[in-house]
Amino acid sequence: MTAPTSGEGRVLTRFDGPLAHVTLDNPRRRNAITLSMARDLVRFCERVERDTVIGAVVVDAVGDYFCSGADTRDLADASADPASPEAVRRISAVYDSFVRIGNLPVPSVCLVAGGAVGAGLNLALATDLMLVTPDAVLDSGFLARRIHPGGGHLSLLGSAAGRGPALAMGLFGAALTGEEAVRRGLAWEQAPADELPALAGRLTAAAVADPELARRIKESARLELGPPGVPWPAALEIERGAQMWSMRRKGEAAWAARARGAGEGHR
């Protein structure tokens, strides 16, 4: 495991062959994302993009709380003159970190224990699947802090759970427990914290077994599901070339063997 950032708050990375892990390590501040951590998240994404051996990514955090958002000290500094180039740079660096996670070319799973608020919720929503502890608290948090949502927060909520939950959380300030998030479609599954890593391992097993195919499916999913998404006829064409590639790769011999096996099974 590597920890490229020094000082308070860091990002840990681990590469287990085709499965890559990135871990927020700032537990004294509930794993708030500092500027240096944001930069390291981007560097991690750059490695995943380059290394085609990697087939899936798991995002988690040290301790019992996933992420409380952007570091409030950076937000305070930016608030002094929000329109200044320095303030824009600080806020954009945090945005860029979860945008890059959201645009990873491989499937990604986020493990949320304790809670995720504001930019921390954005980071969790940027992944393809969220796994949560039943008592985790997922909270937009912006309204309570009397600031407007940022980082495409409302779009992320809407894409994950639809218009109603997005408005309830972003506009009215409603929070969800992990159990409620699964019921409303914001998260995929709930489990105790110590069971989340194994659950993530099972979910990513097929992707890490075939990284090349996983990357092709992820690209098709990104194009088809959006935002903004495409109509069915366009989806057919997006998938056509990739499916033909996969069939050619599988080879005639493999198809013939499968057909023989199926025939024998019905005798």
Side-chain angles (χ1 to χ4, degrees):
M1 179 173 286
T2 61
T5 307
S6 60
E8 185 177 2
R10 58 183 183 170
V11 168
L12 308 175
T13 61
R14 188 173 84 248
F15 298 88
D16 296 331
L19 182 59
H21 300 259
V22 61
T23 301
L24 305 180
D25 184 13
N26 191 12
R28 290 179 59 190
R29 300 186 66 79
R30 286 192 158 189
N31 290 311
I33 303 171
T34 64
L35 292 181
S36 60
M37 291 169 69
R39 288 192 291 268
D40 285 341
L41 284 169
V42 170
R43 280 193 282 269
F44 167 81
C45 292
E46 289 171 346
R47 173 164 175 180
V48 173
E49 290 162 2
R50 293 192 308 268
D51 189 349
T52 56
V53 169
I54 296 171
V57 162
V58 174
V59 181
D60 60 10
V62 170
D64 57 4
Y65 198 92
F66 176 67
C67 183
S68 59
D71 192 291
T72 53
R73 295 167 299 184
D74 291 323
L75 293 176
D77 289 342
S79 296
D81 185 2
S84 69
E86 177 61 17
V88 171
R89 183 189 70 81
R90 285 174 174 270
I91 298 299
S92 296
V94 176
Y95 291 171
D96 193 32
S97 66
F98 51 75
V99 169
R100 293 296 290 269
I101 290 287
N103 286 324
L104 283 171
V106 299
S108 58
V109 178
C110 184
L111 313 186
V112 176
V117 179
L121 183 54
N122 283 352
L123 176 60
L125 291 169
T127 62
D128 297 315
L129 282 182
M130 191 193 313
L131 306 178
V132 295
T133 55
D135 59 350
V137 177
L138 306 182
D139 188 1
S140 172
F142 291 101
L143 185 63
R145 293 176 178 175
R146 300 181 66 185
I147 59 175
H148 193 282
H153 183 69
L154 298 173
S155 177
L156 287 167
L157 284 171
S159 295
R163 179 182 175 86
L167 293 178
M169 297 181 74
L171 184 60
F172 292 93
L176 299 178
T177 64
E179 184 177 4
E180 291 168 337
V182 172
R183 188 167 68 246
R184 295 183 182 276
L186 200 69
W188 176 249
E189 197 166 339
Q190 58 177 316
D194 60 353
E195 296 179 14
L196 291 181
L199 179 56
R202 292 193 294 272
L203 282 170
T204 57
V208 300
D210 194 343
E212 189 176 16
L213 180 58
R215 286 172 178 254
R216 298 255 186 165
I217 296 174
K218 176 64 182 285
E219 175 64 9
S220 294
R222 185 186 66 80
L223 293 172
E224 292 180 43
L225 301 177
V230 299
W232 193 0
L236 290 175
E237 297 311 312
I238 288 171
E239 293 179 1
R240 189 186 304 276
Q243 189 178 61
M244 292 301 101
W245 163 83
S246 67
M247 293 170 68
R248 186 180 306 112
R249 185 186 68 155
K250 190 177 181 73
E252 184 177 354
W255 286 109
R258 185 179 180 87
R260 285 195 302 272
E264 292 169 358
H266 287 88
R267 290 177 182 173

